Amino acid sequence: MKNMMKWGAVTMLAFSLAACSEETKESVEEAGDNIVEDSKENVEKVEGQMKNEAGVQGIVKAIDGADVTVEVTETVKGPDMAEGSEIVFHMDEIEADKVTHLKENDKVEVHYNGITTKSLPPQANAEDLIILTRE
């Protein structure tokens, strides 16, 4: 009798686990589908932002290696940057020759993908640098 009760309990447990595992499997598959969809949306959003070219004109205020701080005089394209605000551009993708010849007070136009950090001052990766006038 005790053996029958044990086997009955084991059988009940096995059925319970089987039912739970099916529900769990469905939950995991559903969660996975949601993660995949969210990831696709995020990738599309980032790709869209990267296609939004932006640009500002301004005066070079500081040069620190490949980082150039520019005081904005005008937004050429993309998100508006307030006149007089500063932005640090990382010039890693720009020809080294352009950056080494850059001087403080040069007027420049910098193109970037429109994405900046939320730091103060904001930072962005420069994609193109045009030196408009030299001081």
Side-chain angles (χ1 to χ4, degrees):
M1 183 82 161
K2 283 185 179 180
N3 282 341
M4 277 183 71
M5 288 178 62
K6 284 181 184 177
W7 283 111
V10 168
T11 305
M12 293 277 289
L13 181 60
F15 282 122
S16 296
L17 289 174
C20 285
S21 66
E22 192 59 38
E23 288 176 21
T24 303
K25 181 180 175 187
E26 289 174 10
S27 293
V28 169
E29 287 173 354
E30 185 177 316
D33 290 343
N34 290 337
I35 291 169
V36 169
E37 287 305 311
D38 289 347
S39 297
K40 285 179 186 175
E41 288 176 20
N42 288 337
V43 167
E44 290 169 4
K45 183 178 179 183
V46 169
E47 285 176 347
Q49 288 176 338
M50 293 180 78
K51 291 177 186 172
N52 294 334
E53 185 177 309
V56 296
Q57 287 185 2
I59 307 298
V60 174
K61 290 298 175 183
I63 303 167
D64 182 13
D67 294 341
V68 177
T69 302
V70 175
E71 181 182 320
V72 176
T73 57
E74 177 183 350
T75 298
V76 178
K77 184 177 183 182
D80 281 332
M81 297 288 294
E83 185 177 329
S85 64
E86 291 186 352
I87 181 169
V88 176
F89 287 104
H90 304 293
M91 300 286 180
D92 300 321
E93 300 298 317
I94 305 300
E95 294 174 33
D97 191 46
K98 281 186 180 180
V99 179
T100 56
H101 289 97
L102 202 56
K103 305 267 187 254
E104 286 185 15
N105 296 316
D106 283 351
K107 185 170 183 181
V108 295
E109 183 169 314
V110 183
H111 294 256
Y112 63 107
N113 64 8
I115 299 172
T116 61
T117 64
K118 294 185 186 250
S119 61
L120 291 176
Q123 301 174 38
N125 294 319
E127 294 178 347
D128 191 23
L129 169 68
I130 302 164
I131 300 172
L132 300 173
T133 59
R134 293 202 177 271
E135 282 298 314

